[in-house]
Amino acid sequence: MILPRLTHFFYSFLPSSNQIGARERLRSCFGALIGILITGAVTSLALGHSSSDLPLLVAPMGASAVLLFGMPASPLAQPWSLVGGNLIAALVGVTCARWIDMPLAASALAVGLSIALMFPLRCFHPPSGAVALTAVLGGPAIHALGYRFAVLPIGLNSLVLLASAIVYHRMTGHRYPHRARARRAPTNDEKAPFTRADLEAVLMARNEMLDIDVGDLEAVLGDVEVRAYRRRMDKLDCARVMTTGVLAVAPTVSVSSAWAILVHHKIKALPVLDDERSVVGIVTQMDFIRHGALPPFMDNTDARQVGDIMSVPVKTVCASQLVADLVPMFASFGHHHLPVIDAAGKFAGMITQANLVRGLHQQPISDVDPPRPAAPIAMPVEHPA
């Protein structure tokens, strides 16, 4: 009993896998190499031979390079976080070193106060904690600089490293400084599972700092929604979402009877079937308007039949066809009603935009769920009750 618990405990120490490709890893490594090299070279030129005791690079810049080149989207790696955090930590560290004689106490207070100031000033940068320690424990050469330590080497190192990161990321096609990508806005037919206010409320309730911008988190979750949405669509076929038991008419039905069916049943379209129940057309309210076949404008002696005003040819879809294939038809080609045919080419049902939306908002569908059997088709008589 103890061994499995210990195994699980130590297993939790293992790091989670990252989702960074080999090319991006190489780009980050090479960027950090270039950034540190340029920072050291520029600082060397600035110092000249005046002070050989001062370091060209302070150790915290290595940690800053990891963030700027390895995690450029992190809020901790943004320009103000880098420059503001390092300058604040340097000033706090120098102050603590001057006023507190005990190095250990000065170090602890410098780090603590730096964090306390970085939070409200929104320049949280983890390597800045090492900057505060360097100001206290850096030795006589650092102490002799006093507050100039915040300018050289800290200020210069930070600015040159930042400039190197901006240029390098631009040259390699990466966004830096990072701006959160806007979340895809849901369409009118989609329900947004969460809002920005919901996300901020949850983060506030968690009361812990996450190393990701809220806008990025919102965009990532939005992309996850879209991906899950498409995955569900890939498991939905027309047979699962179509309306069965649909009213249909023959081409020989009179126009007045077809209009009476539309009005009586409060529907907008009727598929037109031949004697073998194959789809030969569709008649919609627009067909009646286009042909002047509405009762107020139609002569009592009008002998036209549905076959005279129906829309042909009509686009049909197979019952086994994926719903994902229907989205462009509804979105881009103006279709509002699509007749569904079975494997034998016979009419099986109808799909409308409402069916599509309702199907996409169903509970997740199992891969082994059988498709729904189609209900029998009702062919109305010429004059409905």
Side-chain angles (χ1 to χ4, degrees):
M1 192 68 179
I2 297 178
L3 183 59
R5 290 184 178 180
L6 286 175
T7 302
H8 179 74
F9 175 72
F10 286 112
Y11 183 79
S12 66
F13 289 2
L14 295 177
S16 59
S17 60
N18 58 60
Q19 308 301 321
I20 305 299
R23 181 176 179 179
E24 178 63 18
R25 296 179 188 181
L26 182 61
R27 194 190 69 83
S28 300
C29 297
F30 190 70
L33 185 153
I34 296 297
I36 291 296
L37 186 63
I38 292 176
T39 302
V42 171
T43 306
S44 175
L45 291 175
L47 289 175
H49 302 286
S50 59
S51 181
S52 58
D53 294 334
L54 290 180
L56 299 178
L57 291 166
V58 289
M61 293 303 146
S64 293
V66 172
L67 287 174
L68 266 65
F69 294 95
M71 301 176 63
S74 169
L76 310 178
Q78 300 315 299
W80 172 237
S81 296
L82 168 70
V83 177
N86 284 347
L87 290 179
I88 289 170
L91 294 173
V92 170
V94 171
T95 302
C96 291
R98 282 193 166 192
W99 291 93
I100 301 175
D101 293 332
M102 298 176 59
L104 181 59
S107 300
L109 187 60
V111 174
L113 287 177
S114 297
I115 294 174
L117 291 174
M118 284 189 285
F119 270 122
L121 294 175
R122 299 173 63 182
C123 56
F124 203 84
H125 189 64
S128 298
V131 171
L133 283 179
T134 303
V136 176
L137 305 176
I142 298 297
H143 294 163
L145 287 174
Y147 289 107
R148 287 181 298 166
F149 172 70
V151 179
L152 188 68
I154 296 300
L156 182 60
N157 277 182
S158 300
L159 291 175
V160 174
L161 186 63
L162 174 61
S164 301
I166 292 175
V167 173
Y168 182 76
H169 285 304
R170 295 286 175 87
M171 292 179 62
T172 56
H174 209 284
R175 293 184 302 162
Y176 186 84
H178 179 74
R179 291 292 180 269
R181 180 166 54 87
R183 178 190 177 192
R184 183 189 70 89
T187 64
N188 293 332
D189 292 334
E190 296 175 353
K191 298 178 181 178
F194 70 91
T195 65
R196 176 66 174 262
D198 296 329
L199 182 58
E200 291 176 348
V202 170
L203 293 176
M204 185 65 69
R206 289 176 64 95
N207 199 29
E208 59 180 321
M209 186 174 182
L210 300 181
D211 188 15
I212 183 171
D213 184 87
V214 176
D216 283 327
L217 182 59
E218 182 184 22
V220 167
L221 293 177
D223 289 343
V224 172
E225 293 171 18
V226 174
R227 187 176 184 85
Y229 211 62
R230 291 175 179 171
R231 175 172 48 80
R232 288 183 56 198
M233 289 171 65
D234 288 341
K235 295 183 180 181
L236 278 174
D237 57 26
C238 294
R240 298 181 189 271
V241 301
M242 69 181 182
T243 298
T244 57
V246 177
L247 294 173
V249 294
T252 55
V253 170
S254 68
V255 170
S256 59
S257 296
W259 179 255
I261 294 171
L262 290 178
V263 173
H264 180 75
H265 293 280
K266 298 180 180 179
I267 54 180
K268 298 180 179 179
L270 287 169
V272 183
L273 312 181
D274 61 16
D275 293 337
E276 296 179 352
R277 309 180 86 77
S278 297
V279 180
V280 295
I282 189 170
V283 61
T284 68
Q285 293 177 347
M286 287 303 300
D287 292 317
F288 284 90
I289 296 173
R290 185 168 57 251
H291 292 278
L294 294 176
F297 311 103
M298 188 169 51
D299 193 291
N300 292 333
T301 61
D302 193 334
R304 284 183 293 177
Q305 299 176 340
V306 168
D308 298 325
I309 68 169
M310 68 182 182
S311 295
V312 290
V314 60
K315 177 66 178 177
T316 60
V317 294
C318 297
S320 59
Q321 191 167 351
L322 294 177
V323 170
D325 299 334
L326 273 59
V327 175
M329 299 181 191
F330 284 107
S332 303
F333 299 104
H335 291 294
H336 300 283
H337 305 79
L338 289 174
V340 183
I341 58 176
D342 58 20
K346 308 302 180 182
F347 180 67
M350 185 80 80
I351 286 184
T352 66
Q353 291 176 333
N355 293 122
L356 185 65
V357 174
R358 184 165 54 248
L360 295 178
H361 286 282
Q362 290 175 349
Q363 294 297 321
I365 296 174
S366 169
D367 292 332
V368 298
D369 285 346
R372 297 183 307 173
I377 304 302
M379 288 286 288
V381 296
E382 185 171 339
H383 297 286

